[in-house]
């Protein structure tokens, strides 16, 4: 399928690692011009080496910082002559794995600042550019933990539920301007970050790593983890002409997670 994304101007937050890196790679393969921000200089350097001379630009930007987000958008508005076609709000952090009574307020604040305030700060700067362009697409990366309760992960789950609220609200608000807004909900995604989460939950429950891993997968209908590329494929579809009539939706890419534990 020709996704017809050649020369589209795309921003991917936290686009130099994990799911964000896979999303960046998918847009690059489709011929888009991509700007990725990240807080890690090491990940940004690795992305620069990977993409070489592809039309990718980079910035070290903390999406929870109003000043840094505003600076990034001001620079891009000048570089891209005010054009923007797609915003992917991917940045988020895992937060603590603890019973609610042990969660520090600082951890709660940090998780919501990155995962919920970050999309708000980026979207409010992206919308004028998208409107000027005659429309476009916003994809927010939520989580299965944004539709199911997730024991020991209070800040993370709350922030991801909030992302779905933003998605549905913005879809209504921005639809008349031909801006479609959707959320993608990853399930248990293969990779180092997931293994750290498995280890933390195993420690919290007092069981082994592999036992915890199998417990999680036993509650997934397909009995497997998904990949970052699976998530990227859904994002690309939603931003392409093939997804032109899809807005306000929360689409799980998870192998059908039945319950989180």
């Amino acid at each position: 399928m020709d996704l017809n994304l050649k020369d589209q101007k795309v921003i991917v937050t936290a686009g130099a690692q994990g799911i964000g890196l896979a999303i960046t790679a998918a847009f690059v393969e489709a011929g888009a011009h991509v700007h990725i921000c990240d807080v890690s200089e090491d990940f940004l350097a690795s992305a620069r080496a990977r993409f070489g001379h592809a039309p990718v630009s980079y910035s070290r930007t903390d999406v929870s910082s109003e000043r840094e987000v505003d600076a990034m958008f001001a620079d891009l508005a000048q570089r891209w002559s005010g054009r923007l076609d797609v915003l992917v709000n991917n940045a988020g952090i895992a937060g603590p794995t603890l019973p609610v009574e042990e969660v520090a307020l600082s951890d709660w604040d940090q998780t919501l600042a990155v995962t919920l305030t970050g999309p708000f700060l980026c979207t409010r700067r992206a919308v004028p550019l998208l409107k000027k362009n005659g429309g476009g697409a916003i994809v927010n990366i939520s989580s299965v933990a944004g539709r199911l309760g997730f024991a020991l992960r209070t800040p993370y789950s709350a922030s991801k539920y909030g992302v779905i609220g933003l998605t549905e609200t913005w879809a209504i608000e921005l639809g008349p301007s031909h801006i479609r807004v959707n959320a993608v909900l990853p399930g248990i995604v293969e990779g180092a970050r997931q293994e750290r989460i498995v280890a933390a939950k195993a420690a919290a429950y007092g069981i082994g790593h592999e036992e915890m891993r199998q417990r999680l997968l036993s509650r997934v209908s397909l009995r497997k983890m998904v990949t970052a590329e699976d998530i990227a494929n859904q994002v690309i579809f939603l931003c392409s002409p093939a997804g032109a009539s899809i807005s306000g939706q929360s689409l799980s890419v998870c192998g059908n997670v039945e319950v989180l534990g």
Side-chain angles (χ1 to χ4, degrees):
M1 179 186 295
D2 182 2
L3 297 172
N4 196 25
L5 292 168
K6 184 173 176 57
D7 297 327
Q8 295 275 290
K9 302 298 192 289
V10 178
I11 298 173
V12 181
T13 67
Q17 55 184 300
I19 292 172
L21 184 63
I23 292 170
T24 299
F27 274 111
V28 169
E29 185 177 351
H33 294 243
V34 185
H35 180 82
I36 60 178
C37 69
D38 210 288
V39 294
S40 168
E41 293 286 4
D42 289 341
F43 284 128
L44 286 168
S46 178
R48 285 188 180 95
R50 172 172 176 171
F51 294 118
H53 298 294
V56 181
S57 58
Y58 310 84
S59 67
R60 189 203 174 282
T61 303
D62 178 355
V63 298
S64 70
S65 165
E66 181 180 24
R67 178 183 59 80
E68 293 186 23
V69 168
D70 287 354
M72 177 180 72
F73 274 89
D75 176 67
L76 285 174
Q78 183 175 23
R79 185 183 309 173
W80 286 345
S81 301
R83 180 178 168 188
L84 181 64
D85 299 288
V86 174
L87 169 65
V88 180
N89 285 311
N90 168 67
I93 59 174
T97 301
L98 291 168
V100 62
E101 68 270 24
E102 297 178 20
V103 175
L105 180 59
S106 59
D107 286 336
W108 167 271
D109 287 343
Q110 183 186 26
T111 305
L112 267 66
V114 176
T115 310
L116 193 57
T117 302
F120 160 71
L121 292 174
C122 290
T123 299
R124 72 171 181 167
R125 292 297 177 237
V127 164
L129 302 177
L130 292 167
K131 286 182 175 179
K132 180 181 177 180
N133 193 46
I138 298 171
V139 176
N140 300 317
I141 304 300
S142 179
S143 168
V144 170
R147 67 175 175 85
L148 297 170
F150 200 6
L152 306 180
R153 301 293 302 283
T154 293
Y156 179 78
S157 186
S159 66
K160 292 301 189 180
Y161 267 90
V163 168
I164 292 175
L166 293 179
T167 299
E168 295 182 3
T169 298
W170 293 340
I172 296 167
E173 181 178 331
L174 301 174
S177 297
H178 308 291
I179 299 170
R180 55 194 190 274
V181 187
N182 293 288
V184 172
L185 284 58
I188 304 172
V189 183
E190 289 180 358
R193 177 177 174 178
Q194 184 61 53
E195 293 307 319
R196 290 193 297 270
I197 292 169
V198 171
K201 289 187 76 70
Y205 284 123
I207 62 176
H209 185 97
E210 185 58 27
E211 183 181 349
M212 187 70 242
R213 195 173 192 275
Q214 292 306 314
R215 180 186 293 186
L216 292 173
L217 291 179
S218 72
R219 296 162 177 172
V220 180
S221 297
L222 292 182
R223 299 296 192 270
K224 68 174 186 176
M225 295 186 181
V226 298
T227 68
E229 288 71 27
D230 292 331
I231 311 305
N233 289 339
Q234 182 67 79
V235 172
I236 285 284
F237 174 79
L238 289 170
C239 296
S240 75
S245 295
I246 302 173
S247 192
Q249 303 306 304
S250 297
L251 303 169
S252 291
V253 181
C254 64
N256 191 37
V257 174
E258 301 161 7
V259 63
L260 287 169

